[in-house]
């Protein structure tokens, strides 16, 4: 964080261009993206896969996994499986690239890593299916497993997507607990979830709304952890939506 503040100042209020001379330990990624000509607001590789999913849904009139995996295969042909390939290829996509090159079929080619790309992607399906949670869960879980097939991470990713789906459908944070508990008692959805506790994390984020807890939000993120692990990111996200329930930009 100290290096980030040295490069960008104390508060970042907008998208920023890549800096080829960043001082943090991920400076080489910024330099790589700078040399590729990526500008403020351009999507990362994770974003590319999300946009690809949205395009597939629009073109097919719904979620068609065969169409999406065909697009993913075409995308994988454009990278070489190394870290500095494309904008930046994260662990899950490097594992996916290697497995597909070896002929591992979709559904089994996903990574066992613990990152959040699949959880982010599943939000698109949370928005697509409205309040049809059973269909959404089945399709989202299948999509998640394309890139992340560890059962804990897949279930965690689905729980996150279901939590977002409830919010999309207008349930307030104050009323979210009974809605989320329904998923743990749903015979279709429950077997896909990692555990009862993970499914309840969204309403265990109330410390973010507790005014007696005097802690800066940026420091709170240090407590959850700053790595890319989904188990760090999701609790931090839940904390921040409770801390800033009516200010999306501040939460981000």
């Amino acid at each position: 964080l100290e290096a980030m503040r040295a490069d960008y100042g104390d508060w970042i209020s907008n998208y920023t261009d890549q800096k080829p001379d960043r001082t943090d330990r991920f400076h080489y990624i910024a330099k790589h993206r700078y040399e590729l000509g990526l500008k403020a607001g351009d999507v990362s590789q994770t974003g590319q896969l999300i946009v690809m999913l949205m395009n597939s849904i629009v073109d097919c009139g719904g979620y068609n996994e065969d169409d999406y995996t065909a697009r993913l295969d075409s995308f994988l042909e454009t990278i070489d499986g190394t870290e500095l390939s494309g904008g930046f290829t994260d662990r899950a996509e490097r594992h996916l690239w290697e497995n597909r090159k070896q002929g591992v079929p979709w559904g089994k080619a996903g990574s066992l890593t613990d990152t959040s790309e699949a959880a982010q992607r599943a939000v698109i399906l949370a928005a697509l299916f409205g309040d049809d949670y059973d269909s959404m869960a089945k399709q989202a879980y299948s999509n998640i497993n394309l890139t992340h097939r560890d059962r804990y991470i897949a279930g965690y990713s689905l729980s996150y997507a279901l939590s977002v789906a409830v919010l999309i459908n207008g349930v307030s944070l104050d009323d979210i607990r009974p809605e989320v508990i329904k998923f743990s008692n749903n015979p279709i959805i429950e077997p896909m979830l990692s555990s009862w506790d993970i499914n309840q994390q969204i309403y265990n984020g109330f410390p973010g709304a507790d005014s007696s807890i005097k802690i800066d939000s940026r420091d709170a993120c240090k407590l959850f952890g700053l790595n890319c692990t989904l188990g760090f990111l999701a609790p931090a996200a839940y904390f921040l939506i409770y801390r800033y329930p009516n200010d999306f930009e501040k939460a981000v």
Side-chain angles (χ1 to χ4, degrees), residues 13 25 36 41 53-54 61 80 84 89 98 101 117 124 131 135 150 153 171 177 195 199-200 221 228 242:
S13 59
R25 66 191 179 96
L36 289 175
L53 175 59
M54 291 191 288
D80 63 13
L84 295 183
T89 302
E98 181 177 359
K101 285 294 182 183
E117 296 98 323
I124 304 303
D131 61 359
S135 296
D150 176 87
I153 295 300
V171 177
R177 181 181 185 185
S195 72
N199 193 44
Q200 316 312 313
C221 291
C228 296
Y242 278 103

Side-chain angles (χ1 to χ4, degrees), residues 11 30 44 61 72 94 96 99 135 141 148 157 185 195 204 217-218 220-222 237-238 241:
W11 187 254
S44 65
L72 286 176
R94 295 200 298 272
L96 179 65
N99 289 337
S135 296
Y141 194 71
H148 291 70
S157 298
N185 297 318
S195 72
N204 285 332
S217 297
R218 290 168 288 182
C221 291
K222 291 182 183 179
Y238 296 150
I241 65 170

Side-chain angles (χ1 to χ4, degrees), residues 130-213:
D131 61 359
D132 184 357
Y133 296 120
D134 289 357
S135 296
M136 174 260 163
K138 288 187 287 187
Q139 297 297 332
Y141 194 71
S142 183
N143 184 272
I144 288 164
N145 274 274
L146 296 177
T147 57
H148 291 70
R149 61 186 177 88
D150 176 87
R151 188 178 184 279
Y152 172 79
I153 295 300
Y156 204 157
S157 298
L158 178 61
S159 175
Y160 175 77
L162 286 165
S163 298
V164 174
V166 170
L167 294 173
I168 289 173
N169 288 320
V171 177
S172 71
L173 289 171
D174 291 338
D175 299 325
I176 201 169
R177 181 181 185 185
E179 295 299 317
V180 173
I181 287 178
K182 290 177 184 177
F183 298 137
S184 294
N185 297 318
N186 182 308
I188 293 176
I189 296 176
E190 187 276 333
M192 294 182 277
L193 299 174
S194 301
S195 72
W196 176 280
D197 293 312
I198 282 177
N199 193 44
Q200 316 312 313
Q201 275 196 345
I202 180 66
Y203 70 75
N204 285 332
F206 277 110
D210 188 341
S211 60
S212 69
I213 298 178

Side-chain angles (χ1 to χ4, degrees), residues 3-251:
M4 186 178 72
R5 291 186 177 115
D7 289 334
Y8 294 101
D10 188 57
W11 187 254
I12 298 171
S13 59
N14 207 337
Y15 294 110
T16 61
D17 285 329
Q18 303 293 329
K19 292 174 67 72
D21 56 349
R22 251 170 50 181
T23 57
D24 64 276
R25 66 191 179 96
F26 296 110
H27 62 89
Y28 67 98
I29 300 174
K31 184 175 185 292
H32 172 66
R33 288 171 168 164
Y34 175 84
E35 292 171 346
L36 289 175
L38 295 177
K39 297 295 184 180
D42 288 342
V43 295
S44 65
Q45 193 175 108
T46 299
Q48 287 179 291
L49 268 58
I50 291 172
V51 172
M52 197 182 302
L53 175 59
M54 291 191 288
N55 287 335
S56 175
I57 289 170
V58 171
D59 291 345
C60 296
Y63 179 56
N64 182 316
E65 193 154 284
D66 289 338
D67 178 82
Y68 185 57
T69 53
R71 295 172 190 245
L72 286 176
D73 277 328
S74 295
F75 169 78
L76 292 174
E77 291 296 326
T78 69
I79 60 177
D80 63 13
T82 60
E83 187 180 42
L84 295 183
S85 175
F88 170 76
T89 302
D90 213 335
R91 292 185 303 256
E93 285 68 40
R94 295 200 298 272
H95 297 163
L96 179 65
W97 182 90
E98 181 177 359
N99 289 337
R100 289 297 290 157
K101 285 294 182 183
Q102 294 176 358
V104 179
W106 285 108
K108 296 182 178 180
S111 174
L112 295 175
T113 194
D114 58 0
T115 51
S116 68
E117 296 98 323
Q120 297 177 52
R121 202 171 61 243
V123 169
I124 304 303
L125 299 176
L128 176 66
F129 281 92
D131 61 359
D132 184 357
Y133 296 120
D134 289 357
S135 296
M136 174 260 163
K138 288 187 287 187
Q139 297 297 332
Y141 194 71
S142 183
N143 184 272
I144 288 164
N145 274 274
L146 296 177
T147 57
H148 291 70
R149 61 186 177 88
D150 176 87
R151 188 178 184 279
Y152 172 79
I153 295 300
Y156 204 157
S157 298
L158 178 61
S159 175
Y160 175 77
L162 286 165
S163 298
V164 174
V166 170
L167 294 173
I168 289 173
N169 288 320
V171 177
S172 71
L173 289 171
D174 291 338
D175 299 325
I176 201 169
R177 181 181 185 185
E179 295 299 317
V180 173
I181 287 178
K182 290 177 184 177
F183 298 137
S184 294
N185 297 318
N186 182 308
I188 293 176
I189 296 176
E190 187 276 333
M192 294 182 277
L193 299 174
S194 301
S195 72
W196 176 280
D197 293 312
I198 282 177
N199 193 44
Q200 316 312 313
Q201 275 196 345
I202 180 66
Y203 70 75
N204 285 332
F206 277 110
D210 188 341
S211 60
S212 69
I213 298 178
K214 305 296 183 182
I215 181 171
D216 184 278
S217 297
R218 290 168 288 182
D219 291 330
C221 291
K222 291 182 183 179
L223 295 177
F224 289 115
L226 295 174
N227 291 355
C228 296
T229 301
L230 182 62
F232 293 175
L233 293 173
Y238 296 150
F239 175 91
L240 290 166
I241 65 170
Y242 278 103
R243 177 59 62 89
Y244 303 111
N246 300 308
D247 193 335
F248 178 78
E249 183 177 4
K250 182 64 74 69

